Amino acid sequence: MRMTWSDVTPKPLWLNRRQLLAGAVSLAGTPALARIEAAKSAYSTDAEPNSLEDISTYNNFYEFGTGKGDPAAYAGSLTVDPWSVVIDGMVDKPGTYDLSDVVKGQPLEERIYRFRCVEAWAMVVPWIGFQLSGLLDRVGVQPGAKFVAFETLVRPEEMPGQSSPFIEWPYREGLRLDEAMHPLTILATGLYGEEMPKQNGAPIRLVVPWKYGFKSIKSIVRISLVDKMPPTTWNMLQPGEYGFYSNVNPKVDHPRWSQASERRIGAGLFGGRQDTLMFNGYEAEVASLYAGQDLAKDY
Ligand code: MTE
């Protein structure tokens, strides 16, 4: 059974939403987002999703500022159509693909995933997306490729945070090829049954649920297959604090705070703290990827 708005959304928001859909105007005064049809996925958690309001008003997207409310306040200016993604490096079919071409033929699923930020807060998000492996198979990964590098759009006219040089833009992320090919790794184009809100990384972003949230790079314009571990934004900024792997691990603390527990956004001031799970609860699925690795060293 496919969930509907009324199943997953707290009622006041749902009522709002229906009024909005009728008037085709959203809470932020922008046009309502198009619905996306997607099958439910066996990879979903049964944890209760956060509200759309939590998910779309408490964000990290430094291209729009460093405050949690900045992305919702300023991302409206981002042009997401037309959108294209360069796929290059060690692939059989490199090129500049229109977004419609990137998603073409990829089975869309609703994946309800736990999401754990390195800042020790957590949410549950009903993403809409497809497996990154499907796209990589389509473009043909060449035998020498060992890593996948991702880049976000650079467009300071529309992304006010990019006027500040504290990050060397573009925002960059990367995965080892086996992590990228893992069925849990998705490219998401929507959430809560609709197109991706801009503040969450429209029109297409990565979601890797067993890693800290910063690995889930937003508004992707480039995917490169490479043979060396690529530079990644947080590792470039503070290598002693953020490693390449960044797997959620309650036993390896951040140098400045514990990672043993997390604050569940939307759960209220008291009641919201819970233990962090190894690999964010996806240990059975992904632990084998790291067999033989020292996760305190490869943090
Ligand atoms: N991607 C880009 N391009 N820029 C960013 O600042 N922030 C990351 C990640 N992807 C970020 C990004 C961090 S720190 C987190 S926790 C998640 O996005 C937040 O995703 P959400 O806002 O959808 O919860």
Side-chain angles (χ1 to χ4, degrees):
M1 189 197 79
R2 226 191 143 270
M3 281 200 283
T4 67
W5 267 97
S6 52
D7 296 320
V8 292
T9 312
K11 202 159 185 195
L13 193 59
W14 169 61
L15 285 175
N16 254 335
R17 191 76 210 174
R18 288 199 2 186
Q19 289 152 7
L20 307 172
L21 286 176
V25 174
S26 79
L27 289 170
T30 48
L33 298 169
R35 282 202 69 81
I36 302 180
E37 286 308 318
K40 281 193 72 69
S41 170
Y43 287 102
S44 288
T45 161
D46 354 304
E48 182 74 12
N50 277 82
S51 68
L52 177 65
E53 196 184 351
D54 287 343
I55 294 168
S56 61
T57 60
Y58 190 88
N59 301 102
N60 279 332
F61 198 169
Y62 292 104
E63 284 83 342
F64 295 100
T66 52
K68 298 286 183 254
D70 287 344
Y74 303 119
S77 57
L78 181 65
T79 307
V80 296
D81 183 14
W83 192 272
S84 54
V85 180
V86 173
I87 305 180
D88 64 1
M90 305 170 91
V91 288
D92 295 334
K93 295 178 212 147
T96 301
Y97 291 83
D98 186 73
L99 182 66
S100 58
D101 220 10
V102 173
V103 303
K104 193 170 76 192
Q106 303 297 338
L108 285 179
E109 288 186 352
E110 179 177 68
R111 298 265 185 122
I112 304 175
Y113 277 169
R114 300 167 192 281
F115 190 81
R116 169 61 157 81
C117 180
V118 75
E119 299 162 324
W121 52 264
M123 294 203 200
V124 175
V125 184
W127 304 108
I128 305 272
F130 59 91
Q131 288 179 200
L132 173 59
S133 65
L135 176 64
L136 295 180
D137 286 342
R138 224 180 93 211
V139 295
V141 177
Q142 295 181 345
K146 296 196 171 63
F147 293 89
V148 187
F150 303 85
E151 288 179 13
T152 294
L153 178 73
V154 179
R155 193 183 285 158
E157 318 86 85
E158 292 183 358
M159 297 174 134
Q162 287 183 335
S163 321
S164 152
F166 96 97
I167 283 176
E168 196 188 306
W169 311 105
Y171 193 98
R172 287 160 239 233
E173 259 311 332
L175 296 172
R176 210 169 56 190
L177 188 59
D178 58 344
E179 299 175 325
M181 296 302 283
H182 193 281
L184 281 171
T185 303
I186 58 169
L187 287 172
T189 56
L191 57 81
Y192 260 122
E194 297 185 350
E195 283 176 0
M196 190 68 75
K198 292 180 181 178
Q199 56 268 39
N200 291 93
I204 188 162
R205 62 152 319 152
L206 185 68
V207 182
V208 193
W210 72 93
K211 293 180 179 281
Y212 291 120
F214 67 83
K215 298 294 287 182
S216 292
I217 182 173
K218 296 175 166 180
S219 305
I220 296 169
V221 294
R222 185 168 186 178
I223 301 175
S224 309
L225 278 291
V226 295
D227 59 355
K228 298 206 174 52
M229 188 181 277
T232 57
T233 289
W234 288 99
N235 181 249
M236 288 161 74
L237 272 172
Q238 276 154 335
E241 301 193 357
Y242 308 105
F244 177 82
Y245 289 97
S246 297
N247 293 314
V248 175
N249 188 338
K251 290 176 289 206
V252 177
D253 287 336
H254 186 279
R256 290 184 281 130
W257 60 84
S258 164
Q259 293 293 18
S261 69
E262 61 204 31
R263 182 170 60 93
R264 166 88 195 251
I265 299 296
L269 272 186
F270 307 101
R273 199 117 208 136
Q274 59 197 21
D275 289 344
T276 290
L277 301 172
M278 187 63 202
F279 295 111
N280 199 25
Y282 299 95
E283 186 170 15
E285 291 91 339
V286 301
S288 61
L289 295 177
Y290 308 100
Q293 271 181 268
D294 176 353
L295 296 177
K297 205 168 121 268
D298 293 339
Y299 57 95

